[in-house]
Amino acid sequence: MSTAAGTLMPAAFVGHGSPMNALERNRYTQSWRALGEALPRPRAVLVISAHWYINATAVTAMPRPRTIHDFFGFPQDLFAVEYPAAGAPELAEEVAEIVRPTWVGADVDSWGLDHGTWSVLAHVFPEADVPVVQLSIDAAKPLKYHVDLGARLAPLRERGVLVLGSGNVVHNLAGMDPAHADSGFDWAHRFDDAARAVLTGEPEEVLRLREAADWAAAVPTSDHLVPVLYLAGLGAAAGHGADVLVDGYTYGSLSMTSYTLGLDGVPPASGDEHAAPLPDGVPPGSTNI
């Protein structure tokens, strides 16, 4: 299905968790597949992944982005995964033009598609037949910069581009506990609930989350939260909140909650399978998930 003239492409944020989700079927990856089936056919995807976190704002501009295996300790089967989607250099140029005067660099040879992107798209578009561009997270910028930049990307939705954030609303690797493989600590629930209230109701107020009592535990570093700020910016530009695609927790201190914006009719995920596990014998903080 393609978008009709004058219609808006939906947008989304996915809580990606372990890259092993690329190989597994569970209720989270089922929801990602349901997302792909419910979406109109995008012209291309612009992904903001937590794992391209650099001191610049840039977009991938190569015609054939490489698959990056940017994690440690996982089985060889995961390192063998390739996601051969085409790039879209023309989209990279559009992004740079839309957000002027903000400068956006064109990366033609250094990055590609990291696991925050392909572990999700392996389910959303399993044929890898939709072109993909990544937008970096500029670590040197304040959080408001990312909300504002997300809002300025809104015209892409009118041009058939799916804007997709990939991270985790709650992401504390040091706090992960294998005894809580399919549950969250109380503080993780509280912060995730606070985020849900803002994102579904008043996305323009997303930065109020910094005042939450559980901010320091839920967001020890901002890399995995920033992608959801882009969805909040898009929601603010659209004048309405997002909807929950799927929710849940893994290892106590990761939220797997995902959201859609402007998309109805995605069937809820069924089953009780928990998110993919971490590798044995490797400290969570060393896996780069």
Side-chain angles (χ1 to χ4, degrees), residues 188-200 208-209 212 259:
H189 280 266
R190 288 193 301 266
F191 188 84
D192 203 44
D193 289 347
R196 181 183 296 108
V198 172
L199 292 167
T200 60
R208 284 198 328 234
L209 290 172
Y259 295 91

Side-chain angles (χ1 to χ4, degrees), residues 8-13 35 39 157 161-165 231 234 259-263:
L8 286 178
M9 176 63 63
F13 167 83
L35 169 64
L39 283 167
R157 299 181 62 198
V161 176
L162 171 65
V163 181
L164 173 68
L231 186 71
L234 289 168
Y259 295 91
T260 60
L261 182 71
L263 181 64

Side-chain angles (χ1 to χ4, degrees), residues 7 58 122 124 161 170 206:
T7 63
V124 179
V161 176
V170 177
V206 68

Side-chain angles (χ1 to χ4, degrees), residues 45 67 79 87 101 127 129 143 165 188 191 208 215 229 231 246 264 279:
V45 188
T67 303
F79 287 92
E127 300 302 316
D129 54 356
L143 297 182
F191 188 84
R208 284 198 328 234
W215 170 269
L229 301 184
L231 186 71
V246 65
D264 297 320

Side-chain angles (χ1 to χ4, degrees), residues 27-38:
R27 70 186 191 90
Y28 302 107
T29 63
Q30 286 176 12
S31 75
W32 306 348
R33 286 180 178 264
L35 169 64
E37 292 166 359

Side-chain angles (χ1 to χ4, degrees), residues 120-180:
V120 173
L121 293 184
H123 296 282
V124 179
F125 302 119
E127 300 302 316
D129 54 356
V130 177
V132 183
V133 167
Q134 282 200 210
L135 173 66
S136 73
I137 295 173
D138 189 339
K141 299 296 186 182
L143 297 182
K144 188 176 185 302
Y145 169 90
H146 301 289
V147 180
D148 293 344
L149 192 58
R152 290 162 65 188
L153 293 173
L156 293 177
R157 299 181 62 198
E158 301 172 356
R159 304 181 187 182
V161 176
L162 171 65
V163 181
L164 173 68
S166 178
N168 294 96
V169 171
V170 177
H171 185 267
N172 186 326
L173 297 186
M176 296 179 77
D177 184 349
H180 293 77

